[in-house]
Amino acid sequence: MFEYLLPVLFALFLWWFSTGVVIYLDNLPMRTFRWSMIAGTIGLVIGLYLIAVSSADKSASGAYLAFTGTLLVWAWVELSYYTNYVTGPRQTPCPEGTSGWRRFKLALQSNLYHELAILLLGAIIFALTWWDGNRVGLWTFLVLAWMHESARLNVFLGVRNPNEEFVPAHMHFVRSFIRRRPMNLLFPISVSVSTVALVLIIQQAIAQGVDAHTAVGLTLVATLMALAILEHWFLVIPLPTAMLWSWGLQARGNGSCFDVDVVMGTLGSGKTTFIRRLLGSESSADGHDVVLISDFSDRGVDAAVLKAEGAEVINFVDAGGYSSLHKELAEQLREISRDNTPQRIIIEPSGPRDAVAVIEAMRSPAVQGLIKGVRRFTIVDAETFQVDYSRNPDAMRSELLNSPYIVVNKIDRVGEEVLNTVASTLQELNPSAICFYTRYGDIDSEQLRRMTYQRPMQEDENSMEADDAARFDAEQKATREGETWSSVLEGEFDVKLLREFLDEAAAGNFGDLERVKGIVRLHSSWVRFDLSGGRVGMTAFTPYDDEQPRVVVIGEGAVTQSHKIEQALRSCLRTSNNPSDAPQRAVALSS
């Protein structure tokens, strides 16, 4: 009996311990990942060496060596994935509402390199073991791969308890493919196949006349298969499995305390400009502010503008659906507090769904002890307020009710009658709010300092009612910004032709565009351009390090007329026909 009990205990301990180590390393600050991967790669080499040297060893010790080496190899597989070194070419969340083969295709793109790494390592282990007598390493790897792929497919199709707490915040795009449902059709197949395989392995391990090597090796493999079956049942039975590796999850730490400024508002109202004012006029005690920004693509322009101001900018997490977004944000805030130790985090949500998720995230127990205070600002575009409000009254009402401070921006673009209408509407919607009337979001530094931070749990009936309105709006309506298209803009642009393009866009020649914004090179400088509310703006821009010139177009027609927009942008390039122009450079636009 002891010859079977010892390998069972050995397999259980090594599986539990190696899994916990990987979880611990994955949840350390991201700056440590480089060193974790170096250590993991050394472990990978050692693991392959152990498999190779034991391939001809048909003793019990040879089985233990092969099994240990394979778990070291698998530890590298998991570590490289959850530190985001070996994942896939696509690292953005699955769009909300995506289903069927398209969802599967996007999931595969997010994990492609990881899956290829498993195939490659499996082929190497096959080559090292197949021609010799000790194949324990190969069978162990096959069971681990089966356990991994089957569990991943079941989580993709939907299970009751997907254990998403093990996924670090920096891997938020992975969570967007998780689906919750009582069970899926693959689950009984997975469990049945695994159970049959387990019975066959046990029968071989306890057969009469079996040698010590076979008994130990098959017992080690059978233990892993039993763990695979148990892991699958944990996916549908809501048990607190995180307790098994609570010591690994402790690496997430508590983080440092920080204040939060939430800057809400409609598209083009001047949120980014106002944040620049906050950064310039009201730096935190040690100058360490982090801006959490929700841009519309991986080529977002607002982040580049804020980086040029010297801000530390981090992309706003988006899990692909409202239902889990606030949980993802809470984890991201916790991770930022630990890794970046900010004194203040300035958050710019892109719309009502994100704004409500931010508010709910700050109420989460995960960050309650970290947030010292919160200020909420809503930026209102005086010129477009009446149109914006008529388009989406529930969303605007929720943002205004959730803000003790309202900044009415662009007052120089409207007359007194329009401004009075805006003021009376805001007074009716939120009589307790303090309103500021500005040009370019410019509020006096002394006024900003008098705006006090409130405890994140200080809520009243109005704010709760606002949350309900925004939540309904977020779940039932499409984003009011509509389509989004972006492109890299290589080459030198003619500023006059670029302005003519923006005037054409403002006139509706490319559809009903809400916003066009970008940064481009001129002959000897850079400019930032912006179209919002029918008005064109163009200012000088200082690029940040290796800045990439680009454009983001938002609104109805951004995608359907993207080819026409792209051709129009190409026509704005400097040409050699103009004697003042430099020679035309190579151009590449990629959407």
Side-chain angles (χ1 to χ4, degrees):
M1 183 61 67
F2 182 75
E3 63 179 319
Y4 295 107
L5 180 61
L6 182 60
V8 168
L9 295 177
F10 182 83
L12 285 173
F13 173 78
L14 198 57
W15 167 79
W16 170 80
F17 181 73
S18 61
T19 302
V21 169
V22 171
I23 291 173
Y24 183 86
L25 294 175
D26 290 339
N27 285 281
L28 287 173
M30 294 177 66
R31 62 179 179 272
T32 67
F33 287 177
R34 176 186 176 187
W35 304 108
S36 296
M37 277 302 298
I38 291 173
T41 303
I42 293 173
L44 169 67
V45 173
I46 294 174
L48 291 173
Y49 174 77
L50 292 177
I51 294 170
V53 299
S54 64
S55 61
D57 185 354
K58 296 192 68 175
S59 65
S61 60
Y64 282 113
L65 282 177
F67 182 82
T68 303
T70 307
L71 258 64
L72 284 173
V73 172
W74 193 260
W76 181 90
V77 170
E78 296 289 351
L79 182 66
S80 64
Y81 181 74
Y82 285 108
T83 54
N84 207 13
Y85 273 84
V86 184
T87 51
R90 187 181 190 277
Q91 297 188 8
T92 53
C94 181
E96 191 169 3
T98 305
S99 60
W101 283 108
R102 172 166 170 74
R103 180 168 171 264
F104 179 81
K105 179 181 177 181
L106 295 178
L108 182 60
Q109 290 175 356
S110 296
N111 299 279
L112 181 61
Y113 304 148
H114 174 66
E115 302 297 341
L116 290 175
I118 293 175
L119 288 174
L120 177 61
L121 289 170
I124 292 173
I125 294 174
F126 176 87
L128 291 174
T129 61
W130 185 254
W131 311 113
D132 295 311
N134 185 358
R135 297 174 185 167
V136 173
L138 178 60
W139 306 137
T140 301
F141 189 87
L142 290 176
V143 170
L144 287 168
W146 161 257
M147 177 191 304
H148 174 78
E149 299 299 339
S150 177
R152 175 163 290 189
L153 282 172
N154 275 281
V155 169
F156 174 82
L157 294 172
V159 290
R160 186 187 301 275
N161 188 36
N163 295 321
E164 56 194 307
E165 65 268 26
F166 289 112
V167 181
H170 61 267
M171 296 288 288
H172 63 273
F173 63 92
V174 173
R175 299 191 188 190
S176 67
F177 294 100
I178 293 174
R179 177 176 291 175
R180 286 184 178 272
R181 59 198 304 187
M183 191 181 291
N184 63 78
L185 295 177
L186 178 63
F187 180 83
I189 298 175
S190 298
V191 172
S192 298
V193 171
S194 300
T195 303
V196 171
L198 175 62
V199 171
L200 293 176
I201 295 171
I202 292 175
Q203 286 178 346
Q204 293 294 320
I206 64 175
Q208 285 187 350
V210 69
D211 58 81
H213 167 79
T214 303
V216 170
L218 290 180
T219 303
L220 291 169
V221 174
T223 304
L224 274 187
M225 184 60 79
L227 289 170
I229 298 170
L230 186 62
E231 182 184 60
H232 278 68
W233 281 111
F234 282 161
L235 293 176
V236 297
I237 302 175
L239 295 175
T241 54
M243 293 178 60
L244 290 171
W245 295 283
S246 58
W247 57 277
L249 293 172
Q250 287 177 1
R252 294 180 179 178
N254 295 320
S256 61
C257 296
F258 53 88
D259 289 314
V260 176
D261 282 335
V262 182
V263 181
M264 301 177 284
T266 56
L267 185 66
S269 59
K271 298 190 297 292
T272 303
T273 301
F274 180 72
I275 290 175
R276 293 171 65 191
R277 302 294 184 192
L278 285 177
L279 291 168
S281 303
E282 198 189 30
S283 297
S284 59
D286 64 353
H288 192 185
D289 291 324
V290 171
V291 180
L292 189 59
I293 188 169
S294 179
D295 233 335
F296 289 94
S297 74
D298 55 355
R299 299 178 183 139
V301 174
D302 293 343
V305 172
L306 293 170
K307 284 181 181 178
E309 297 289 327
E312 184 175 4
V313 182
I314 296 175
N315 291 328
F316 192 99
V317 70
D318 190 342
Y322 175 80
S323 60
S324 61
L325 181 55
H326 64 281
K327 297 178 183 177
E328 302 290 341
L329 281 169
E331 286 297 322
Q332 188 178 28
L333 288 172
R334 188 179 185 88
E335 192 168 89
I336 290 172
S337 73
R338 182 196 62 186
D339 295 351
N340 304 84
T341 60
Q343 292 295 309
R344 175 175 62 171
I345 298 178
I346 303 174
I347 306 176
E348 181 192 339
S350 65
R353 183 199 71 157
D354 291 351
V356 174
V358 168
I359 293 168
E360 291 196 1
M362 290 187 295
R363 297 174 184 157
S364 169
V367 294
Q368 271 297 296
L370 300 176
I371 299 176
K372 294 187 291 185
V374 179
R375 292 188 305 187
R376 300 174 188 168
F377 302 90
T378 292
I379 315 301
V380 171
D381 187 335
E383 187 178 28
T384 65
F385 172 75
Q386 296 180 66
V387 175
D388 292 336
Y389 188 70
S390 63
R391 282 182 178 179
N392 209 339
D394 288 338
M396 287 202 67
R397 178 170 171 267
S398 73
E399 290 182 348
L400 293 167
L401 282 171
N402 271 299
S403 296
Y405 305 112
I406 299 174
V407 179
V408 183
N409 197 26
K410 305 181 184 180
I411 61 173
D412 54 312
R413 299 182 180 180
V414 300
E416 184 177 355
E417 182 178 345
V418 172
L419 191 58
N420 287 337
T421 301
V422 173
S424 60
T425 305
L426 295 176
Q427 173 66 24
E428 180 180 339
L429 289 172
N430 189 352
S432 63
I434 301 174
C435 294
F436 301 88
Y437 297 85
T438 68
R439 297 172 66 249
Y440 303 106
D442 191 8
I443 296 181
D444 182 72
S445 299
E446 185 60 33
Q447 288 181 310
L448 283 173
R449 281 191 288 270
R450 287 200 296 265
M451 298 180 188
T452 58
Y453 286 91
Q454 298 177 343
R455 291 295 301 164
M457 291 301 289
Q458 289 181 353
E459 308 294 342
D460 55 27
E461 293 180 0
N462 285 340
S463 65
M464 294 302 293
E465 180 185 357
D467 289 353
D468 292 338
R471 184 180 296 107
F472 175 81
D473 181 80
E475 292 174 337
Q476 301 297 329
K477 299 181 181 179
T479 57
R480 61 180 182 274
E481 288 82 13
E483 305 169 7
T484 301
W485 175 82
S486 63
S487 176
V488 176
L489 298 177
E490 291 294 347
E492 294 179 357
F493 280 71
D494 184 295
V495 68
K496 180 180 178 181
L497 295 176
L498 184 60
R499 185 174 289 276
E500 290 176 0
F501 159 75
L502 293 171
D503 289 338
E504 289 182 17
N509 292 352
F510 305 105
D512 187 13
L513 302 182
E514 295 281 349
R515 189 84 180 270
V516 179
K517 54 184 178 178
I519 49 178
V520 294
R521 296 188 191 95
L522 304 182
H523 177 48
S524 56
S525 61
W526 289 61
V527 296
R528 176 169 66 95
F529 59 88
D530 189 276
L531 167 63
S532 177
R535 289 184 176 271
V536 174
M538 195 173 294
T539 59
F541 178 75
T542 302
Y544 175 80
D545 294 339
D546 299 326
E547 194 64 78
Q548 189 177 47
R550 54 202 184 271
V551 64
V552 177
V553 182
I554 305 165
E556 298 303 322
V559 175
T560 55
Q561 300 205 43
S562 59
H563 180 71
K564 184 178 178 181
I565 296 171
E566 181 177 341
Q567 292 301 316
L569 284 167
R570 286 182 184 275
S571 69
C572 298
L573 290 163
R574 298 170 66 90
T575 65
S576 56
N577 294 331
N578 188 333
S580 65
D581 286 342
Q584 185 176 0
R585 299 175 58 181
V587 180
L589 281 80
S590 58
S591 59

